[in-house]
Amino acid sequence: MIEELVGKGIRLTVEAEDILSSNKSEELLQKILLLKKPFISKEDIEPLIKKPQVEVIRTSDFQPLAKEYAADIKINHTFDVTGKSRTKGSVDNFISHFRNRFERLGRMLRRSGSTPNIDLGDVKRHLNEKVRIIVLISAKRETKKGNLLFEVEDLTGSFKVVVSTSKYNEKVMDKARSVILDDVVAITGKVLEPYLIAEDVEWPELPVIREKKLSENDLAAAYLSDLHFGSKHFLAHYLKAFTDWLHGKGELKELAGKVKYLNIAGDIVDGIGIYPNQEKELVVKDIYQQYAMFTDFLENLPDHIEVIVGPGNHDAVRRGEPQPALDRDLVSSDITSVGNPSSITIEGIKHLMYHGTSIDSMISNIPNLSYMHPEQVMVEYLKRRHLSPIYGGNLIVPENIDYMVIEEPPDIFHTGHVHKNGYTQYRGTLVINSGTFQDRTDYQVKQGHVPTPAMVPVYELKYGRLRTLDFKS
Ligand SMILES: [Fe+2]
Ligand SMILES: [Fe+2]
């Protein structure tokens, strides 16, 4: 075949010749000729080669319980931007966006108590009084004496707040250190013009008491994210071990048979041009081919499993959040495609799914957070009732409605992005960061970040039991 191509005046790289010497077929020759290129490289040939069919192990004695049940999935479209993006990025859009955020979080913070809630426009009428203000943080700095100074605003005006360092104030100071730009908080304190001297800081928070929601049906959900199809670090064999398990191979067969739902929180593919020199990290450099690999994975799953997929920062939708659902022509398999973030009720259990792109800016701005414990970052989101508080910390599209507000407390909160499994419970919400199927990248080595690949959390919806299965063995 190489001779035929050379005979037609087509030149080949050494790598291309290597591939062709082990892949001799008339079909491939015709495909190469159809490219009508005078110079053929490895990158031209790879997408043309038929991938060997993945042989999935199906055990004959396996009777999955999940097969007996119809799926029960409801997408809450109010909290999903898919099909509803209206912004032109104008000043008006920014104003509407912040007003919407402020009003909704402000409503959560408003409560009646002994300290009156006042507007900043009225603050000077309350000199020497104790008041409570609900504000957005527009600036934060430390003074020479080590006090914290905040510039704050509401819809009626702006003011300055001081949190002083003193041993009587340590608890408030700790909270104030965690306050970040664009946070919406309630601050209680005394008005001593030109400042309000803070005595307490509160975030909108989740309600303390909530009933744990369980499913009536004995089914389970598995949680994945950050598959990164197309990356040279993608762990195909471990993902195949997971697929085989769902088909009844290996231990915990009964649990495998209960898995009815598979939730995938973004970074389905590695994408193209996501960061400088990414092409060196890719084995598949065509975005459609990367999604075709994902479709193959979906096609090999048991038919009774319902897959819910949201995008991440590596996926082929707009980069700014909120992100709309992946397009139908990227993933041909039958899935429930949702936006990022999205709110989905599965078997009556409310799920909030967010890729987690803003975890980076949260870690760099809030003391004591780290990539080792993504679940602690997730708790900070829940406290703030917001998924990306620092505007511009990561790319945000200023929609007139702020889709990053956590309007309803979720039963399960699922993210990915940092490639590290992490779990906790916070005020009745089960918090899950679902790890990855990508091996440690060179970038992560430089960062000293150690991912936890091929660990899949599986949750039994009837019993409220979570366990993590390791598919590396
Ligand atoms: Fe990722
Ligand atoms: Fe990501």
Side-chain angles (χ1 to χ4, degrees):
M1 172 164 40
I2 295 169
E3 291 74 37
E4 277 193 74
L5 290 168
V6 174
K8 289 184 191 299
I10 297 170
R11 289 196 297 139
L12 301 157
T13 63
V14 179
E15 285 167 322
E17 283 188 11
D18 277 354
I19 298 175
L20 291 181
S21 46
S22 55
N23 277 287
K24 295 170 190 154
S25 85
E26 182 59 27
E27 196 188 339
L28 181 58
L29 176 67
Q30 292 308 324
K31 281 185 185 170
I32 294 171
L33 291 173
L34 277 174
L35 292 175
K36 294 197 170 111
K37 288 176 84 171
F39 190 81
I40 298 291
S41 69
K42 176 178 134 212
E43 283 74 30
D44 295 316
I45 301 173
E46 273 171 348
L48 307 177
I49 296 173
K50 259 195 193 159
K51 291 183 296 301
Q53 273 292 302
V54 181
E55 192 205 330
V56 174
I57 294 165
R58 294 175 164 85
T59 50
S60 52
D61 61 336
F62 183 53
Q63 298 293 336
L65 189 64
K67 213 173 167 177
E68 314 295 319
Y69 294 92
D72 178 7
I73 303 171
K74 290 181 192 78
I75 303 174
N76 194 335
H77 292 281
T78 316
F79 305 126
D80 194 316
V81 75
T82 308
K84 291 187 292 194
S85 179
R86 300 283 177 269
T87 186
K88 293 185 175 70
S90 68
V91 174
D92 282 352
N93 293 134
F94 277 91
I95 293 169
S96 304
H97 178 85
F98 273 103
R99 184 180 278 263
N100 181 269
R101 179 198 293 199
F102 184 76
E103 285 176 348
R104 288 163 65 201
L105 296 180
R107 217 173 292 140
M108 296 176 201
L109 282 160
R110 211 164 298 276
R111 56 166 174 74
S112 50
S114 52
T115 312
N117 292 308
I118 64 155
D119 289 334
L120 291 181
D122 289 336
V123 77
K124 287 181 185 162
R125 292 202 279 135
H126 294 272
L127 291 179
N128 299 315
E129 288 175 24
K130 191 171 168 179
V131 296
R132 188 169 181 269
I133 54 175
I134 294 169
V135 292
L136 182 130
I137 305 291
S138 49
K140 174 187 178 184
R141 67 182 173 86
E142 203 174 317
T143 67
K144 280 180 197 151
K145 289 181 184 165
N147 298 328
L148 279 177
L149 180 71
F150 293 106
E151 285 174 34
V152 300
E153 54 188 273
D154 67 9
L155 299 175
T156 65
S158 58
F159 207 63
K160 288 190 171 68
V161 173
V162 171
V163 188
S164 65
T165 95
S166 85
K167 62 180 177 186
Y168 308 107
N169 218 18
E170 263 170 35
K171 233 174 140 186
V172 187
M173 196 59 173
D174 269 358
K175 282 192 192 176
R177 283 201 184 94
S178 294
V179 168
I180 48 183
L181 285 190
D182 305 325
D183 252 352
V184 176
V185 290
I187 302 175
T188 306
K190 205 169 178 187
V191 186
L192 292 174
E193 215 193 352
Y195 303 115
L196 183 133
I197 310 299
E199 293 169 20
D200 196 14
V201 180
E202 299 158 85
W203 286 278
E205 273 290 6
L206 290 182
V208 184
I209 301 164
R210 265 182 306 136
E211 186 193 339
K212 186 167 181 170
K213 281 270 173 61
L214 295 169
S215 155
E216 280 175 18
N217 299 328
D218 194 4
L219 296 170
Y223 298 83
L224 298 182
S225 62
D226 299 274
L227 304 174
H228 289 269
F229 280 97
S231 160
K232 72 175 182 187
H233 302 284
F234 169 60
L235 296 165
H237 44 300
Y238 294 156
L239 192 62
K240 182 182 175 299
F242 171 63
T243 309
D244 287 345
W245 177 71
L246 292 173
H247 280 285
K249 187 197 169 198
E251 290 171 7
L252 298 169
K253 271 193 184 56
E254 201 189 332
L255 180 61
K258 290 182 188 179
V259 176
K260 180 76 186 168
Y261 305 97
L262 183 56
N263 300 287
I264 312 181
D267 282 2
I268 308 303
V269 298
D270 208 48
I272 311 281
I274 305 294
Y275 54 85
N277 298 321
Q278 189 193 9
E279 58 279 6
K280 289 181 191 150
E281 302 283 312
L282 295 174
V283 282
V284 179
K285 296 175 184 175
D286 178 297
I287 192 80
Y288 292 99
Q289 286 288 328
Q290 292 182 356
Y291 281 104
M293 292 168 80
F294 176 55
T295 304
D296 282 351
F297 159 70
L298 296 172
E299 298 291 304
N300 282 319
L301 292 172
D303 292 340
H304 61 266
I305 293 184
E306 299 292 326
V307 184
I308 301 150
V309 181
N313 58 312
H314 281 251
D315 284 297
V317 291
R318 74 179 184 193
R319 288 291 288 279
E321 292 173 340
Q323 295 177 300
L326 285 167
D327 230 57
R328 281 275 153 217
D329 43 317
L330 288 171
V331 185
S332 54
S333 196
D334 188 18
I335 54 162
T336 301
S337 188
V338 294
N340 172 38
S342 60
S343 169
I344 319 122
T345 304
I346 297 171
E347 298 282 329
I349 298 170
K350 254 184 230 160
H351 283 64
L352 171 63
M353 187 160 83
Y354 169 51
H355 176 59
T357 311
S358 73
I359 292 177
D360 301 315
S361 66
M362 294 288 277
I363 289 174
S364 48
N365 284 281
I366 300 177
N368 305 322
L369 292 183
S370 83
Y371 286 99
M372 290 306 289
H373 294 287
E375 71 282 3
Q376 291 174 359
V377 185
M378 295 170 74
V379 168
E380 296 298 323
Y381 291 137
L382 293 172
K383 278 186 191 172
R384 288 166 170 80
R385 302 287 290 266
H386 202 278
L387 295 168
S388 185
I390 309 165
Y391 193 91
N394 49 290
L395 270 178
I396 287 287
V397 180
E399 299 290 348
N400 292 345
I401 294 166
D402 186 351
Y403 289 93
M404 309 310 276
V405 170
I406 304 172
E407 188 72 45
E408 294 183 341
D411 299 308
I412 295 180
F413 178 26
H414 172 208
T415 68
H417 185 60
V418 292
H419 298 200
K420 171 87 176 59
N421 289 65
Y423 313 99
T424 193
Q425 287 274 355
Y426 184 70
R427 295 194 169 193
T429 297
L430 172 62
V431 168
I432 300 174
N433 191 294
S434 55
T436 185
F437 270 89
Q438 188 187 38
D439 208 353
R440 201 177 188 202
T441 62
D442 300 349
Y443 178 73
Q444 287 165 342
V445 172
K446 270 186 224 150
Q447 300 284 307
H449 179 47
V450 185
T452 51
M455 313 266 286
V456 181
V458 178
Y459 184 67
E460 287 178 87
L461 301 162
K462 184 173 180 178
Y463 304 107
R465 274 197 300 251
L466 179 78
R467 55 168 111 195
T468 301
L469 308 183
D470 188 345
F471 291 95
K472 285 194 290 296
S473 44

